[in-house]
Amino acid sequence: MEHTPFSVSAIREHFPALQQKVYGKPLIYFDNGATSQKPQVVLDTLAKYYAIENANIHRGVHYLSQQATSAYEAARRTIQQYIGAKGPEEIIFTKGATDSINLVAFSFGERLKPGDEILISAMEHHSNIVPWQLLCERKGCVLRVIPISKKGELDLEAFEQMLSERTKLLSIIHISNTLGTINPVKELIAKAHKVGAKVLLDGAQSIQHLAIDVKDLNCDFYTFSGHKVYGPTGIGVLYGKEELLETMPPYQGGGDMIAKVTFERSTYNSLPLKFEAGTPHIAGAIGLGSAISFLQSIDMQAAAAHELELTKYAQGILDTFEGLHIIGEAKNKTSVVSFTIDQMHPFDIGTLLDKQGIAVRTGHHCTQPLMDFYQIPGTVRASFAFYNTKEEIDTFVAALERSMQILGS
Amino acid sequence: MSIQEKQQEIIDEFAIYDDWMDKYEYIIELGKSVPTLAPELKTKERLIEGCQSNVWLATEIKDGKMHFSADSDAIITKGIIGLLIHVYNNESPETVVQSDLFFISQIGLAEHLSPTRANGLLSMVKRMKTEALHSLSK
Ligand SMILES: Cc1ncc(COP(=O)(O)O)c(C=O)c1O
């Protein structure tokens, strides 16, 4: 695909939310880990869909329904191609990353037996912890946690020792939303496959920062949310290998997911519709398709290099602050800088930064077990996207200094 | 001074700040001046867990008047606690139960008492009122 050379200022123009002021200051948006802003083209796609293309899909003979169905299925193919899936039947639309993981926990989980083991890591988001705990309660499986070092890197030796023929699934975060760590997933996947385990990658924080090729990674499942990759909320994706999805029972029952229904029994639709019960988030799917097309127009390699540079730049400056501790110092990390400051509560820092026009996140970032590991109640987290700039980081650093002065004096 | 007058006094005091940071600097100073709760008073029963910050609330009733003391791990939260305690202390349980805390939104801090803020303050105000109500039914 042809793209124009990477230019932050050109990219920023696509994002109306970045043009505003808050409390009279130009907005600096460093909360991209929570959700990203939306480019105009996505907003236009949503408006156009509701204005003139709106119809229910897959079951209408009329013009609009066919239009909407093609747009919905075209979005699926855009996503399929973007992540390198084999075919559209491997792309299931869900409500988001959380929904995707719950689908796997419920449906893939059906086949698990007491004593079967599920491996996760110590840096998981709650949405890659709790669905497995629920599954373990239902099925008598065992949840095991790969430890990490203080730097925020997986203990690979411990991981290898935990693998056995009891391991049925490795479900692991690709990039940590709290630490920024990029996990060596290719290696993890290969090793897990050796013992016959399947692998789910929680890609909620990787799809927007790295080029994803599910075939090359060879993961069995890959999950992400639309809203963190410049698309709408309420829509997400579950990628699954076709052979695997075929053997899995439906997650929810309803319209669209059936082939034939009688009161005695029903037969199910083929992939991917087997897993899409009820009227889906049509606008969301089409909107996500347009967000992914937008990414295809950008040199994502250059964008990733820019994000890495921002991360190193910010971390380099913050590292020199007395009493400030970077949480997450993995060698391979991107787009997230989390920190604590002695004697200062993250909430106070976040509130004062907010009043200076800077949006960061404070708290446990839905990773409470990780906070327990570091024995901290929470962090301040700046998380970057390709539309952020070094100048914004300079302003942020000055605002942080001012906040620390006020809090410390 | 009536509870209304106390609130008006705070509003007047804040009127001189037109800059957010100055306003917060003032709240932070206030937070630093509020006495900390003794560790033995920071019990589980007195803890109000918020998602962002925690609050501890201790209540006493002397001569038919409410006496609150409270603490927080976040200094801004504690500063706002200082204001709330100033308004409520030495008031009768009836006054506290019936009170309308209009000063909070007038000085631009309504966000701190919104249910989504999760800093423990809204729950603290609710608990202050509940404790006042309990003392009435005793
Ligand atoms: C790593 C990770 N996994 C899963 C999720 C859950 O995403 P959602 O809430 O959109 O379902 C998030 C969101 O913060 C995340 O960062």
Side-chain angles (χ1 to χ4, degrees):
Chain A
M1 160 117 3
E2 274 302 302
H3 20 66
T4 46
F6 180 76
S7 147
V8 176
S9 55
I11 284 178
R12 288 182 72 86
E13 282 175 23
H14 290 280
F15 291 84
L18 300 179
Q19 321 299 331
Q20 69 190 302
K21 289 188 170 180
V22 296
Y23 311 111
K25 310 251 164 38
L27 169 68
I28 294 181
Y29 188 76
F30 284 172
D31 195 17
N32 296 284
T35 198
S36 61
Q37 298 303 338
K38 321 300 173 202
Q40 187 63 45
V41 58
V42 170
L43 307 178
D44 290 345
T45 302
L46 291 174
K48 180 165 163 243
Y49 169 75
Y50 280 122
I52 55 175
E53 294 168 350
N54 174 55
N56 209 331
I57 55 171
H58 291 146
R59 48 200 159 196
V61 293
H62 59 80
Y63 176 82
L64 273 191
S65 174
Q66 286 171 22
Q67 291 292 102
T69 305
S70 341
Y72 182 79
E73 292 304 328
R76 195 192 304 277
R77 275 192 300 282
T78 303
I79 294 159
Q80 172 222 325
Q81 283 155 11
Y82 191 69
I83 66 169
K86 206 171 60 187
E89 53 294 328
E90 296 191 317
I91 304 296
I92 292 154
F93 283 121
T94 64
K95 287 188 292 190
T98 304
D99 192 33
S100 300
I101 296 171
N102 275 281
L103 191 164
V104 176
F106 186 87
S107 173
F108 174 82
E110 263 311 284
R111 68 172 69 169
L112 298 192
K113 306 216 159 43
D116 283 351
E117 293 180 357
I118 297 154
L119 273 189
I120 60 173
S121 81
M123 62 174 90
E124 299 307 324
H125 188 277
H126 293 164
S127 60
N128 194 29
I129 302 174
V130 186
W132 308 116
Q133 289 173 331
L134 291 170
L135 172 64
C136 288
E137 273 169 35
R138 283 198 306 272
K139 294 282 178 182
C141 308
V142 181
L143 188 62
R144 300 190 66 192
V145 183
I146 308 163
I148 61 171
S149 67
K150 282 280 174 215
K151 276 187 177 316
E153 291 170 332
L154 287 179
D155 181 341
L156 295 176
E157 248 169 67
F159 163 67
E160 288 195 42
Q161 277 166 14
M162 291 168 98
L163 285 174
S164 76
E165 73 286 351
R166 289 186 303 277
T167 317
K168 291 297 177 284
L169 183 75
L170 166 68
S171 188
I172 193 147
I173 195 162
H174 192 175
I175 298 186
S176 161
N177 60 308
T178 305
L179 308 171
T181 309
I182 307 175
N183 284 316
V185 289
K186 231 175 137 169
E187 182 187 337
L188 300 176
I189 292 165
K191 291 201 166 125
H193 281 166
K194 279 218 178 95
V195 298
K198 304 293 181 204
V199 182
L200 182 151
L201 275 194
D202 173 0
Q205 300 290 343
S206 63
I207 184 88
Q208 64 279 53
H209 298 302
L210 303 178
I212 299 297
D213 183 339
V214 289
K215 267 218 275 317
D216 178 55
L217 288 167
N218 199 20
C219 53
D220 300 284
F221 301 106
Y222 182 85
T223 58
F224 66 92
S225 293
H227 68 94
K228 293 185 203 275
V229 60
Y230 312 105
T233 51
I235 188 78
V237 167
L238 167 65
Y239 156 82
K241 282 183 181 161
E242 187 185 3
E243 320 80 85
L244 193 53
L245 292 175
E246 280 297 356
T247 65
M248 286 163 44
Y251 170 44
Q252 292 178 327
D256 255 16
M257 57 74 70
I258 40 80
K260 179 156 176 63
V261 175
T262 67
F263 283 120
E264 286 67 43
R265 73 179 304 268
S266 303
T267 52
Y268 310 123
N269 208 333
S270 50
L271 289 174
L273 298 185
K274 177 171 98 176
F275 290 109
E276 293 180 5
T279 300
H281 186 6
I282 306 166
I286 298 172
L288 176 55
S290 88
I292 298 293
S293 299
F294 175 74
L295 294 190
Q296 286 173 321
S297 73
I298 288 170
D299 180 348
M300 285 300 280
Q301 235 168 346
H306 172 67
E307 289 170 342
L308 183 61
E309 197 179 323
L310 292 177
T311 312
K312 288 195 168 150
Y313 182 67
Q315 189 158 323
I317 298 173
L318 293 180
D319 230 359
T320 64
F321 277 42
E322 203 160 321
L324 186 150
H325 311 278
I326 304 279
I327 306 295
E329 298 178 291
K331 243 196 249 113
N332 199 11
K333 68 174 281 188
T334 191
S335 301
V336 171
V337 181
S338 254
F339 58 90
T340 59
I341 300 174
D342 291 341
Q343 312 302 329
M344 293 182 196
H345 199 285
F347 173 78
D348 292 324
I349 304 269
T351 304
L352 293 181
L353 288 175
D354 170 53
K355 291 296 176 281
Q356 296 170 84
I358 298 161
V360 295
R361 185 144 295 241
T362 63
H364 54 62
H365 319 296
C366 292
T367 54
Q368 276 174 339
L370 185 59
M371 298 294 102
D372 293 343
F373 170 72
Y374 284 105
Q375 296 184 312
I376 50 176
T379 74
V380 181
R381 179 189 75 182
S383 54
F384 310 119
F386 53 33
Y387 45 57
N388 290 127
T389 65
K390 278 192 178 171
E391 291 71 45
E392 287 182 316
I393 290 176
D394 292 338
T395 309
F396 157 73
V397 167
L400 181 64
E401 276 176 327
R402 181 160 180 215
S403 309
M404 287 170 72
Q405 238 162 29
I406 294 176
L407 287 168
S409 60
Chain B
M1 208 185 290
S2 77
I3 188 167
Q4 251 66 13
E5 286 163 344
K6 280 196 263 182
Q7 295 197 67
Q8 192 53 51
E9 195 183 63
I10 296 173
I11 294 167
D12 295 342
E13 220 156 310
F14 270 81
I16 57 166
Y17 302 116
D18 49 9
D19 181 79
W20 274 108
M21 291 303 276
D22 295 341
K23 205 182 276 190
Y24 273 92
E25 219 169 324
Y26 179 77
I27 293 168
I28 287 162
E29 287 317 311
L30 207 65
K32 288 176 184 164
S33 70
V34 173
T36 51
L37 269 192
E40 64 269 20
L41 286 178
K42 287 190 173 179
T43 60
K44 226 182 155 132
E45 294 72 45
R46 294 199 176 91
L47 171 66
I48 302 165
E49 265 182 283
C51 194
Q52 292 283 349
S53 57
N54 292 326
V55 171
W56 291 263
L57 176 69
T59 311
E60 270 185 294
I61 299 164
K62 271 187 281 188
D63 307 325
K65 305 280 186 195
M66 303 304 296
H67 287 273
F68 296 106
S69 35
D71 208 338
S72 173
D73 46 1
I75 199 76
I76 291 174
T77 307
K78 200 170 167 188
I80 299 170
I81 285 175
L83 295 173
L84 289 167
I85 287 180
H86 172 70
V87 168
Y88 274 168
N89 274 4
N90 275 316
E91 298 296 337
S92 69
E94 290 91 341
T95 310
V96 169
V97 170
Q98 288 159 11
S99 66
D100 165 29
L101 290 174
F102 59 87
F103 81 98
I104 284 285
S105 63
Q106 293 242 355
I107 61 176
L109 297 180
E111 62 182 273
H112 288 284
L113 278 177
S114 87
T116 54
R117 193 69 186 197
N119 53 10
L121 277 178
L122 183 64
S123 309
M124 186 185 85
V125 171
K126 278 193 190 139
R127 197 181 284 188
M128 287 167 133
K129 289 195 175 190
T130 313
E131 304 234 355
L133 195 62
H134 279 175
S135 77
L136 282 177
S137 59
K138 265 184 200 149

